[in-house]
Amino acid sequence: MKKRYIELHLHLDGAITPDIAKDLAALQKIKLPYKDERELEKALMVSKDCRSLNEFLECFKLPCSLLQTKEGIARAVYLVQENIKRQGVVYAEIRFAPQLHMDKGLTMREVIESALDGLKKSDLKCNLILCCMRMADNKEQNLETVKLAKEYLINEESNKDYGVVALDLAGAEALYKTEQFIDVFKLATELNVPFTIHAGEADGAESVKKAVQFGAKRIGHGVRSVENLALMKALSEKKICLEMCPTSNLQTKAIEKIEDFPIREFMKLGIPVTINTDDMAICGTDMGHEMNLIRNKFDITDNEESEIYANAVRYSFAKNKIKKQLMEVQ
Ligand SMILES: [Zn+2]
């Protein structure tokens, strides 16, 4: 039987493959500044000698430039959904930062509505997460992102099954510490908007601790939680789900080698883990590859793989009725 996967941590701009880039460029009459396929691939994929998260983040320039119009954003959301559907993904939460798609004059509201337009076109079960960004001087944009998330949020009472389901905090974690974003997540908590936070990737366990204190329901990556046993126990007790992304962690040097990926340590302590691609195009991976990687390296059994799937369902931000359907298709 074909394997089924759930992807909870997937960035829209990190999922722009060369084929999708060409489609988006043609649609928007943008000339791609690359002479051949190989050069395009190189621009969209992280190099083997990438040294840090900051260098990794450089790879987002080209895909981001293709996501600055209504039609570009809508088309990209649709094409990414179709792409992951072919790979066996049955449910996904695609994330993006509305404030990074305003270069050609779109408002954040227009960015979100364009993404929602794209979402409707595919029959893949899929929701959106809006990212706030770790940057200097963008507090207003982050607060606006929270307010818009509230406005577009779907919950159990909504008549819609799919839409915006949560917030995130993304960007250069080592440069802009989690604690600087307290006001953003205070507002999110006040407005009852659930959130995940990228933490414990480029920065240490303290960053994860802060994210948990803020009230994050899930943690993006969280690999460096392994540095602090008390924190790991807290994650286990509070049932905070980790959105783990092995290949991405290798490429950003969050871990030195795959053997250092602490999935076994987390599982042993009962922390709910999930496996994700993060930036499938930039990392040159897909869900099947990520799952095989951890199966082979950590002797993950079929039962454990089923548990990882069940975690993804349980800790997804989807409506209960969708979760029920996802449990049944496994
Ligand atoms: Zn990420």
Side-chain angles (χ1 to χ4, degrees):
M1 200 181 86
K2 200 177 167 212
K3 283 216 185 174
R4 296 171 199 278
Y5 306 105
I6 291 180
E7 170 89 284
L8 298 184
H9 191 128
L10 171 63
H11 295 263
L12 177 64
D13 47 3
I16 305 301
T17 59
D19 281 347
I20 297 179
K22 282 188 275 180
D23 183 299
L24 296 178
L27 176 77
Q28 300 170 94
K29 302 194 173 41
I30 296 172
K31 199 177 161 346
L32 289 170
Y34 302 96
K35 59 176 189 297
D36 57 29
E37 194 88 356
R38 257 192 74 78
E39 243 188 59
L40 178 61
E41 256 174 46
K42 257 177 80 181
L44 289 166
M45 255 174 85
V46 70
S47 73
K48 287 232 167 17
D49 52 4
C50 168
R51 283 172 310 218
S52 69
L53 178 61
N54 297 340
E55 213 172 286
F56 183 83
L57 295 174
E58 279 290 301
C59 298
F60 289 89
K61 281 197 179 145
L62 173 62
C64 228
S65 72
L66 298 168
L67 300 169
Q68 301 297 338
T69 65
K70 289 182 184 175
E71 59 275 24
I73 294 164
R75 178 88 179 148
V77 170
Y78 167 73
L79 291 175
V80 168
Q81 288 183 92
E82 292 299 293
N83 191 28
I84 59 179
K85 197 168 82 181
R86 281 191 292 272
Q87 297 165 5
V89 172
V90 290
Y91 172 74
E93 289 174 2
I94 299 180
R95 61 185 76 193
F96 61 97
Q99 62 190 282
L100 298 183
H101 303 278
M102 301 164 75
D103 291 358
K104 290 188 178 164
L106 292 184
T107 62
M108 279 200 217
R109 184 182 295 280
E110 287 170 328
V111 174
I112 296 166
E113 289 192 354
S114 309
L116 287 168
D117 274 349
L119 198 69
K120 277 187 254 164
K121 296 199 171 78
S122 169
D123 61 359
L124 178 74
K125 291 180 169 59
C126 191
N127 280 310
L128 301 177
I129 295 178
L130 305 185
C131 301
C132 297
M133 290 305 297
R134 294 177 187 268
M135 294 193 294
D137 310 321
N138 69 331
K139 190 169 171 183
E140 279 316 306
Q141 285 94 320
N142 281 343
L143 291 175
E144 193 185 337
T145 307
V146 177
K147 287 179 205 152
L148 287 168
K150 173 68 184 178
E151 205 179 304
Y152 287 92
L153 195 74
I154 60 145
N155 53 29
E156 289 304 320
E157 286 75 48
S158 316
N159 358 329
K160 283 185 196 146
D161 283 341
Y162 305 105
V164 173
V165 287
L167 283 161
D168 175 32
L169 177 64
E173 186 192 5
L175 297 181
Y176 306 101
K177 302 271 179 195
T178 302
E179 63 198 31
Q180 296 173 26
F181 300 88
I182 184 162
D183 292 347
V184 174
F185 293 102
K186 229 165 106 180
L187 180 63
T189 306
E190 269 168 36
L191 297 178
N192 238 333
V193 182
F195 53 89
T196 174
I197 293 182
H198 279 73
E201 181 190 18
D203 203 4
E206 204 49 42
S207 178
V208 180
K209 227 178 185 175
K210 271 279 166 263
V212 173
Q213 269 173 20
F214 287 175
K217 297 263 186 298
R218 303 194 319 229
I219 299 290
H221 303 288
V223 277
R224 291 185 57 187
S225 309
V226 75
E227 295 164 6
N228 184 325
L229 182 61
L231 170 66
M232 286 198 283
K233 285 186 177 156
L235 293 173
S236 170
E237 259 161 45
K238 292 179 197 283
K239 295 289 169 231
I240 309 274
C241 173
L242 300 186
E243 306 156 359
M244 302 191 78
C245 314
T247 298
S248 164
N249 287 166
L250 277 171
Q251 291 176 344
T252 62
K253 302 287 182 283
I255 53 171
E256 275 295 314
K257 47 189 190 311
I258 190 65
E259 289 73 18
D260 298 336
F261 190 65
I263 188 164
R264 275 281 169 217
E265 286 85 336
F266 293 160
M267 286 169 79
K268 239 176 260 164
L269 286 169
I271 301 170
V273 297
T274 59
I275 292 295
N276 309 272
T277 65
D278 201 8
D279 300 296
M280 59 172 53
I282 289 174
C283 297
T285 189
D286 60 37
M287 280 301 295
H289 178 85
E290 294 302 289
M291 204 52 93
N292 281 338
L293 181 65
I294 60 143
R295 279 187 74 105
N296 296 337
K297 288 287 172 187
F298 301 99
D299 298 321
I300 300 290
T301 63
D302 287 344
N303 277 346
E304 286 169 331
E305 189 174 336
S306 298
E307 190 51 34
I308 289 172
Y309 179 97
N311 283 340
V313 176
R314 217 171 280 139
Y315 297 98
S316 77
F317 293 118
K319 286 171 86 165
N320 287 330
K321 100 173 195 209
I322 308 299
K323 291 186 183 191
K324 217 172 141 241
Q325 292 167 10
L326 291 169
M327 278 300 190
E328 281 159 10
V329 297
Q330 195 197 1

Coordinates of all heavy atoms in Angstrom, one line a residue, residues 159-239:
N159 N -18.1 27.4 9.6 CA -18.7 26.5 8.6 C -17.7 26.0 7.6 O -17.9 25.0 6.9 CB -19.8 27.2 7.8 CG -20.1 28.6 8.3 OD1 -19.9 28.9 9.4 ND2 -20.5 29.5 7.4
K160 N -16.5 26.7 7.5 CA -15.5 26.3 6.6 C -14.6 25.2 7.3 O -14.4 25.3 8.5 CB -14.6 27.5 6.3 CG -15.2 28.4 5.3 CD -14.1 29.5 4.9 CE -14.9 30.6 4.2 NZ -14.3 31.9 4.5
D161 N -14.2 24.3 6.5 CA -13.3 23.2 7.1 C -11.8 23.6 7.0 O -11.0 23.0 7.7 CB -13.5 21.9 6.3 CG -14.8 21.2 6.7 OD1 -15.3 21.6 7.8 OD2 -15.4 20.4 5.9
Y162 N -11.5 24.4 6.0 CA -10.0 24.7 5.9 C -9.8 26.2 5.8 O -10.7 27.0 5.3 CB -9.5 24.1 4.6 CG -9.8 22.6 4.5 CD1 -10.8 22.1 3.7 CD2 -9.0 21.8 5.3 CE1 -11.0 20.7 3.7 CE2 -9.3 20.4 5.3 CZ -10.3 19.9 4.5 OH -10.5 18.6 4.5
G163 N -8.7 26.7 6.2 CA -8.3 28.1 6.2 C -7.1 28.3 7.1 O -6.2 27.5 7.2
V164 N -7.0 29.5 7.7 CA -5.9 29.8 8.6 C -6.2 29.2 9.9 O -7.3 29.3 10.5 CB -5.8 31.4 8.8 CG1 -4.8 31.7 9.8 CG2 -5.5 32.1 7.4
V165 N -5.2 28.4 10.4 CA -5.4 27.7 11.7 C -4.5 28.1 12.8 O -4.8 27.7 14.0 CB -5.3 26.2 11.5 CG1 -6.6 25.7 10.7 CG2 -4.0 25.8 10.8
A166 N -3.4 28.8 12.5 CA -2.5 29.1 13.6 C -1.5 30.1 13.2 O -1.4 30.6 12.0 CB -1.7 27.8 14.0
L167 N -0.6 30.5 14.1 CA 0.5 31.4 13.9 C 1.8 30.7 14.1 O 1.9 29.6 14.7 CB 0.4 32.6 14.9 CG -0.6 33.7 14.6 CD1 -0.8 34.5 15.9 CD2 -0.1 34.6 13.5
D168 N 2.9 31.3 13.6 CA 4.2 30.8 13.8 C 5.2 32.0 14.0 O 4.8 33.1 13.7 CB 4.6 29.9 12.6 CG 6.0 29.4 12.6 OD1 6.6 29.1 13.7 OD2 6.7 29.3 11.6
L169 N 6.4 31.7 14.4 CA 7.5 32.7 14.4 C 8.7 32.1 13.7 O 9.1 31.0 14.1 CB 7.9 33.1 15.9 CG 9.0 34.0 16.0 CD1 8.7 35.4 15.4 CD2 9.4 34.2 17.5
A170 N 9.1 32.7 12.6 CA 10.2 32.1 11.8 C 11.3 33.1 11.6 O 11.1 34.3 12.0 CB 9.6 31.7 10.4
G171 N 12.4 32.7 11.0 CA 13.5 33.6 10.7 C 14.7 33.3 11.6 O 14.8 32.2 12.1
A172 N 15.7 34.2 11.6 CA 17.0 34.0 12.2 C 16.9 34.0 13.7 O 17.0 35.0 14.4 CB 18.0 35.0 11.7
E173 N 16.8 32.8 14.3 CA 16.6 32.6 15.7 C 17.8 33.1 16.6 O 17.6 33.6 17.7 CB 16.3 31.1 16.0 CG 15.9 30.8 17.4 CD 15.9 29.3 17.7 OE1 16.3 28.5 16.8 OE2 15.5 28.9 18.8
A174 N 19.0 32.8 16.0 CA 20.2 33.2 16.8 C 20.4 34.7 16.8 O 20.9 35.3 17.8 CB 21.4 32.5 16.2
L175 N 19.9 35.4 15.8 CA 20.1 36.9 15.8 C 19.0 37.6 16.5 O 19.2 38.6 17.2 CB 20.0 37.4 14.3 CG 21.1 36.9 13.4 CD1 21.0 37.4 12.0 CD2 22.5 37.2 13.9
Y176 N 17.7 37.1 16.5 CA 16.6 37.7 17.2 C 16.0 36.7 18.1 O 15.2 35.8 17.7 CB 15.6 38.2 16.1 CG 16.2 39.1 15.1 CD1 16.5 38.6 13.8 CD2 16.5 40.4 15.4 CE1 17.1 39.4 12.9 CE2 17.1 41.2 14.4 CZ 17.4 40.7 13.2 OH 18.0 41.5 12.2
K177 N 16.3 36.8 19.4 CA 15.9 35.8 20.4 C 14.4 35.7 20.6 O 13.7 36.8 20.5 CB 16.6 36.2 21.7 CG 18.1 36.3 21.7 CD 18.7 35.0 22.0 CE 20.2 35.1 21.9 NZ 20.8 33.8 21.8
T178 N 13.9 34.6 21.0 CA 12.5 34.3 21.2 C 11.9 35.3 22.2 O 10.8 35.8 21.9 CB 12.3 32.9 21.6 OG1 12.9 32.0 20.7 CG2 10.8 32.6 21.8
E179 N 12.6 35.6 23.2 CA 12.1 36.5 24.3 C 11.7 37.9 23.8 O 10.9 38.6 24.4 CB 13.1 36.6 25.4 CG 14.4 37.3 25.0 CD 15.5 37.0 26.0 OE1 15.5 35.9 26.6 OE2 16.4 37.9 26.1
Q180 N 12.3 38.3 22.6 CA 12.0 39.6 22.1 C 10.6 39.7 21.6 O 10.1 40.8 21.3 CB 13.0 40.0 20.9 CG 14.4 40.1 21.4 CD 15.3 40.3 20.1 OE1 14.9 40.8 19.1 NE2 16.6 39.9 20.3
F181 N 9.9 38.6 21.4 CA 8.6 38.5 20.7 C 7.5 38.3 21.7 O 6.4 37.9 21.3 CB 8.7 37.5 19.6 CG 9.7 37.9 18.6 CD1 11.0 37.4 18.7 CD2 9.4 38.7 17.5 CE1 12.0 37.8 17.8 CE2 10.4 39.1 16.6 CZ 11.7 38.7 16.8
I182 N 7.7 38.6 22.9 CA 6.7 38.4 24.0 C 5.3 39.0 23.7 O 4.3 38.4 23.8 CB 7.2 38.7 25.4 CG1 6.2 38.3 26.4 CG2 7.6 40.2 25.5 CD1 6.7 38.2 27.8
D183 N 5.4 40.3 23.2 CA 4.2 41.0 22.9 C 3.3 40.4 21.8 O 2.1 40.4 21.9 CB 4.5 42.5 22.5 CG 5.0 43.2 23.7 OD1 4.9 42.7 24.8 OD2 5.6 44.3 23.5
V184 N 4.0 39.8 20.8 CA 3.3 39.2 19.7 C 2.5 38.0 20.2 O 1.3 37.9 19.9 CB 4.4 38.7 18.7 CG1 3.7 37.9 17.6 CG2 5.1 39.9 18.1
F185 N 3.1 37.2 21.1 CA 2.4 36.0 21.5 C 1.4 36.3 22.7 O 0.5 35.5 23.0 CB 3.4 34.9 21.8 CG 4.0 34.5 20.5 CD1 5.3 34.9 20.1 CD2 3.3 33.8 19.6 CE1 5.8 34.5 18.9 CE2 3.8 33.4 18.3 CZ 5.1 33.8 18.0
K186 N 1.7 37.4 23.4 CA 0.7 37.9 24.4 C -0.6 38.2 23.7 O -1.7 37.8 24.1 CB 1.2 39.1 25.1 CG 1.1 39.0 26.6 CD 2.0 40.0 27.3 CE 1.1 41.1 27.9 NZ 1.9 42.1 28.6
L187 N -0.5 38.9 22.6 CA -1.7 39.3 21.8 C -2.4 38.0 21.2 O -3.6 37.9 21.3 CB -1.3 40.2 20.7 CG -2.5 40.7 19.8 CD1 -3.5 41.5 20.6 CD2 -2.0 41.5 18.6
A188 N -1.5 37.1 20.7 CA -2.1 35.8 20.1 C -2.9 35.1 21.2 O -4.0 34.6 21.0 CB -1.0 35.0 19.6
T189 N -2.3 35.1 22.4 CA -3.0 34.4 23.5 C -4.3 35.1 23.9 O -5.3 34.4 24.0 CB -2.1 34.3 24.8 OG1 -0.8 33.7 24.3 CG2 -2.7 33.4 25.9
E190 N -4.2 36.4 24.0 CA -5.5 37.2 24.3 C -6.5 36.9 23.2 O -7.7 36.8 23.6 CB -5.1 38.7 24.2 CG -4.7 39.3 25.6 CD -4.1 40.6 25.4 OE1 -4.6 41.4 24.5 OE2 -3.1 40.9 26.1
L191 N -6.1 36.8 22.0 CA -7.1 36.6 20.9 C -7.5 35.1 20.7 O -8.2 34.8 19.8 CB -6.6 37.2 19.6 CG -6.3 38.8 19.6 CD1 -5.8 39.2 18.3 CD2 -7.6 39.5 19.9
N192 N -6.8 34.3 21.5 CA -7.1 32.9 21.3 C -6.7 32.3 20.0 O -7.4 31.4 19.4 CB -8.7 32.6 21.5 CG -8.9 31.7 22.6 OD1 -8.1 30.8 22.9 ND2 -10.1 31.8 23.2
V193 N -5.6 32.7 19.5 CA -5.1 32.1 18.2 C -4.0 31.2 18.6 O -3.0 31.6 19.2 CB -4.5 33.2 17.3 CG1 -4.0 32.6 16.0 CG2 -5.5 34.3 17.0
P194 N -4.1 29.9 18.3 CA -3.1 28.9 18.6 C -1.8 29.2 17.8 O -1.8 29.8 16.8 CB -3.7 27.6 18.2 CG -4.8 27.8 17.3 CD -5.2 29.3 17.5
F195 N -0.7 28.8 18.4 CA 0.6 29.0 17.7 C 1.7 28.0 17.9 O 1.7 27.3 19.0 CB 1.2 30.4 18.0 CG 1.3 30.7 19.4 CD1 2.5 30.5 20.1 CD2 0.3 31.4 20.1 CE1 2.7 30.8 21.4 CE2 0.4 31.7 21.5 CZ 1.6 31.4 22.1
T196 N 2.5 27.9 16.9 CA 3.7 27.1 17.0 C 4.9 28.1 16.9 O 4.7 29.2 16.4 CB 3.8 26.0 15.9 OG1 5.1 25.4 15.9 CG2 3.7 26.6 14.5
I197 N 6.1 27.8 17.4 CA 7.2 28.7 17.3 C 8.4 27.9 16.9 O 8.7 26.9 17.5 CB 7.5 29.4 18.7 CG1 6.3 30.4 19.0 CG2 8.8 30.2 18.6 CD1 6.5 31.2 20.3
H198 N 9.2 28.4 15.9 CA 10.5 27.8 15.6 C 11.4 28.1 16.8 O 11.6 29.3 17.1 CB 11.1 28.5 14.4 CG 10.6 28.1 13.0 ND1 9.4 28.4 12.5 CD2 11.3 27.4 12.1 CE1 9.3 27.9 11.3 NE2 10.4 27.3 11.0
A199 N 11.9 27.1 17.4 CA 12.8 27.3 18.5 C 13.7 26.1 18.8 O 13.3 24.9 18.4 CB 12.0 27.5 19.8
G200 N 14.9 26.3 19.3 CA 15.8 25.2 19.6 C 16.4 24.7 18.3 O 16.6 23.5 18.1
E201 N 16.5 25.6 17.3 CA 17.1 25.2 16.0 C 18.5 25.9 15.9 O 19.5 25.2 16.1 CB 16.2 25.6 14.9 CG 16.7 25.3 13.5 CD 15.9 25.9 12.4 OE1 15.2 26.9 12.6 OE2 16.0 25.5 11.2
A202 N 18.5 27.2 15.7 CA 19.8 27.9 15.7 C 20.2 28.4 17.1 O 21.3 28.8 17.4 CB 19.8 29.1 14.8
D203 N 19.2 28.4 18.0 CA 19.4 28.8 19.4 C 19.2 27.6 20.3 O 18.6 26.6 19.9 CB 18.5 30.0 19.7 CG 19.1 30.8 20.9 OD1 20.2 30.5 21.4 OD2 18.4 31.8 21.3
G204 N 19.6 27.7 21.6 CA 19.5 26.6 22.4 C 18.2 26.3 23.2 O 17.1 26.8 22.8
A205 N 18.3 25.5 24.2 CA 17.1 25.0 24.9 C 16.3 26.2 25.5 O 15.1 26.1 25.7 CB 17.5 24.1 26.0
E206 N 17.0 27.2 25.9 CA 16.4 28.4 26.5 C 15.3 29.0 25.6 O 14.3 29.4 26.1 CB 17.5 29.5 26.8 CG 17.2 30.5 27.9 CD 16.7 29.9 29.2 OE1 17.2 28.8 29.6 OE2 15.8 30.4 29.7
S207 N 15.6 28.9 24.3 CA 14.6 29.5 23.3 C 13.3 28.6 23.3 O 12.2 29.2 23.2 CB 15.3 29.4 22.0 OG 14.4 29.9 21.0
V208 N 13.5 27.3 23.5 CA 12.3 26.4 23.5 C 11.5 26.7 24.8 O 10.3 26.8 24.8 CB 12.8 24.9 23.5 CG1 11.5 24.0 23.5 CG2 13.6 24.7 22.2
K209 N 12.3 26.9 25.9 CA 11.6 27.2 27.2 C 10.8 28.4 27.1 O 9.6 28.4 27.5 CB 12.8 27.4 28.2 CG 12.6 26.7 29.5 CD 13.8 27.1 30.3 CE 14.0 26.4 31.6 NZ 15.2 26.7 32.2
K210 N 11.3 29.4 26.5 CA 10.5 30.7 26.3 C 9.3 30.4 25.4 O 8.2 30.9 25.8 CB 11.4 31.7 25.5 CG 12.2 32.6 26.5 CD 11.4 33.7 27.1 CE 12.1 34.4 28.2 NZ 11.8 34.0 29.6
A211 N 9.4 29.7 24.4 CA 8.3 29.4 23.5 C 7.2 28.7 24.2 O 6.0 29.0 24.1 CB 8.8 28.6 22.3
V212 N 7.6 27.8 25.1 CA 6.6 27.0 25.9 C 6.0 28.0 26.9 O 4.7 27.9 27.1 CB 7.3 25.8 26.6 CG1 6.3 25.2 27.6 CG2 7.8 24.8 25.6
Q213 N 6.8 28.8 27.5 CA 6.2 29.8 28.5 C 5.2 30.7 27.8 O 4.2 31.1 28.3 CB 7.3 30.7 29.0 CG 7.9 30.2 30.3 CD 9.2 31.1 30.7 OE1 9.3 32.2 30.2 NE2 10.0 30.5 31.5
F214 N 5.5 31.1 26.5 CA 4.5 31.9 25.8 C 3.2 31.2 25.5 O 2.2 31.8 25.3 CB 5.1 32.3 24.4 CG 6.2 33.3 24.4 CD1 6.9 33.7 23.3 CD2 6.6 33.9 25.6 CE1 7.9 34.6 23.3 CE2 7.6 34.9 25.7 CZ 8.3 35.2 24.5
G215 N 3.3 29.9 25.5 CA 2.0 29.1 25.3 C 2.0 28.4 24.0 O 0.9 28.1 23.5
A216 N 3.2 28.2 23.4 CA 3.2 27.5 22.1 C 2.6 26.1 22.2 O 2.9 25.4 23.2 CB 4.6 27.4 21.5
K217 N 1.7 25.7 21.3 CA 1.2 24.3 21.3 C 2.1 23.3 20.7 O 2.1 22.1 21.0 CB -0.1 24.3 20.5 CG -1.2 25.2 21.1 CD -2.2 24.4 21.9 CE -3.4 25.2 22.4 NZ -3.1 26.4 23.2
R218 N 2.9 23.8 19.8 CA 3.9 23.0 19.1 C 5.2 23.8 19.0 O 5.2 25.0 19.1 CB 3.5 22.6 17.7 CG 2.2 21.9 17.7 CD 1.9 21.2 16.3 NE 2.2 21.9 15.1 CZ 1.4 22.0 14.1 NH1 0.2 21.6 14.1 NH2 1.8 22.7 13.0
I219 N 6.3 23.1 18.8 CA 7.6 23.7 18.6 C 8.2 23.3 17.2 O 8.2 22.1 16.9 CB 8.6 23.3 19.7 CG1 8.1 23.7 21.1 CG2 10.0 23.9 19.4 CD1 8.1 25.2 21.3
G220 N 8.5 24.3 16.4 CA 9.2 24.0 15.1 C 10.6 23.6 15.4 O 11.4 24.3 16.0
H221 N 11.0 22.4 15.0 CA 12.3 21.7 15.3 C 12.5 21.3 16.8 O 12.2 20.2 17.1 CB 13.5 22.7 14.9 CG 13.4 23.1 13.5 ND1 13.7 22.2 12.5 CD2 13.1 24.2 12.9 CE1 13.5 22.8 11.3 NE2 13.2 24.0 11.5
G222 N 12.9 22.3 17.6 CA 13.1 21.9 19.0 C 14.2 20.9 19.3 O 14.4 20.4 20.4
V223 N 15.1 20.7 18.3 CA 16.1 19.6 18.5 C 17.1 19.9 19.7 O 17.5 19.0 20.3 CB 17.0 19.4 17.2 CG1 16.4 18.5 16.2 CG2 17.4 20.7 16.6
R224 N 17.3 21.2 19.9 CA 18.3 21.5 21.0 C 17.7 21.5 22.4 O 18.4 21.7 23.4 CB 18.9 22.9 20.7 CG 19.9 22.7 19.4 CD 20.7 23.9 19.1 NE 21.5 24.3 20.3 CZ 22.2 25.5 20.3 NH1 22.1 26.3 19.2 NH2 22.9 25.8 21.3
S225 N 16.4 21.0 22.4 CA 15.8 20.7 23.8 C 16.6 19.6 24.4 O 16.6 19.5 25.6 CB 14.4 20.3 23.6 OG 13.6 21.2 22.8
V226 N 17.3 18.8 23.6 CA 18.0 17.7 24.1 C 19.1 18.1 25.1 O 19.6 17.4 25.9 CB 18.6 16.9 22.9 CG1 19.8 17.6 22.3 CG2 19.0 15.5 23.3
E227 N 19.5 19.4 25.0 CA 20.5 20.0 25.9 C 20.0 20.1 27.4 O 20.8 20.4 28.3 CB 21.0 21.3 25.4 CG 21.7 21.3 24.1 CD 21.8 22.6 23.4 OE1 21.5 23.7 24.0 OE2 22.2 22.7 22.2
N228 N 18.7 20.0 27.6 CA 18.2 20.3 28.9 C 17.1 19.2 29.3 O 16.0 19.2 28.8 CB 17.6 21.7 28.9 CG 17.1 22.1 30.2 OD1 16.6 21.4 31.0 ND2 17.2 23.4 30.5
L229 N 17.5 18.4 30.3 CA 16.6 17.3 30.6 C 15.3 17.8 31.3 O 14.2 17.2 31.0 CB 17.3 16.3 31.6 CG 16.5 15.1 32.1 CD1 16.1 14.2 30.9 CD2 17.2 14.3 33.1
A230 N 15.4 18.8 32.1 CA 14.1 19.3 32.7 C 13.2 19.8 31.7 O 12.0 19.6 31.7 CB 14.5 20.4 33.7
L231 N 13.7 20.5 30.7 CA 12.9 21.0 29.6 C 12.2 19.8 28.8 O 11.0 19.9 28.5 CB 13.7 21.8 28.6 CG 13.0 22.2 27.3 CD1 11.8 23.2 27.6 CD2 14.0 22.9 26.3
M232 N 13.0 18.8 28.5 CA 12.5 17.6 27.8 C 11.3 17.0 28.6 O 10.3 16.6 28.1 CB 13.5 16.6 27.6 CG 14.5 17.0 26.5 SD 15.4 15.6 25.8 CE 16.6 15.3 27.1
K233 N 11.5 17.0 30.0 CA 10.4 16.4 30.8 C 9.2 17.3 30.7 O 8.0 16.8 30.7 CB 10.9 16.2 32.2 CG 11.8 15.1 32.4 CD 12.2 14.8 33.9 CE 13.1 13.6 34.0 NZ 13.9 13.6 35.2
A234 N 9.4 18.6 30.7 CA 8.3 19.5 30.6 C 7.5 19.4 29.3 O 6.3 19.4 29.2 CB 8.7 21.0 30.8
L235 N 8.3 19.2 28.2 CA 7.7 19.0 26.9 C 6.8 17.7 26.9 O 5.7 17.7 26.3 CB 8.7 18.9 25.8 CG 9.5 20.1 25.5 CD1 10.7 19.8 24.5 CD2 8.7 21.2 24.9
S236 N 7.3 16.7 27.6 CA 6.6 15.4 27.7 C 5.3 15.6 28.5 O 4.3 15.2 28.1 CB 7.5 14.4 28.3 OG 6.8 13.2 28.6
E237 N 5.5 16.2 29.7 CA 4.3 16.4 30.5 C 3.2 17.3 29.9 O 2.0 16.9 30.0 CB 4.8 17.1 31.8 CG 4.9 16.2 33.0 CD 5.8 16.8 34.1 OE1 5.6 18.0 34.4 OE2 6.7 16.1 34.5
K238 N 3.6 18.4 29.3 CA 2.7 19.3 28.7 C 2.2 18.8 27.3 O 1.4 19.4 26.7 CB 3.3 20.7 28.5 CG 3.6 21.4 29.8 CD 4.2 22.8 29.5 CE 4.9 23.4 30.6 NZ 4.1 24.1 31.6
K239 N 2.8 17.7 26.8 CA 2.5 17.2 25.5 C 2.6 18.3 24.4 O 1.7 18.5 23.7 CB 1.1 16.6 25.5 CG 0.9 15.3 26.4 CD 1.7 14.2 25.8 CE 1.9 13.0 26.7 NZ 3.2 12.5 26.9

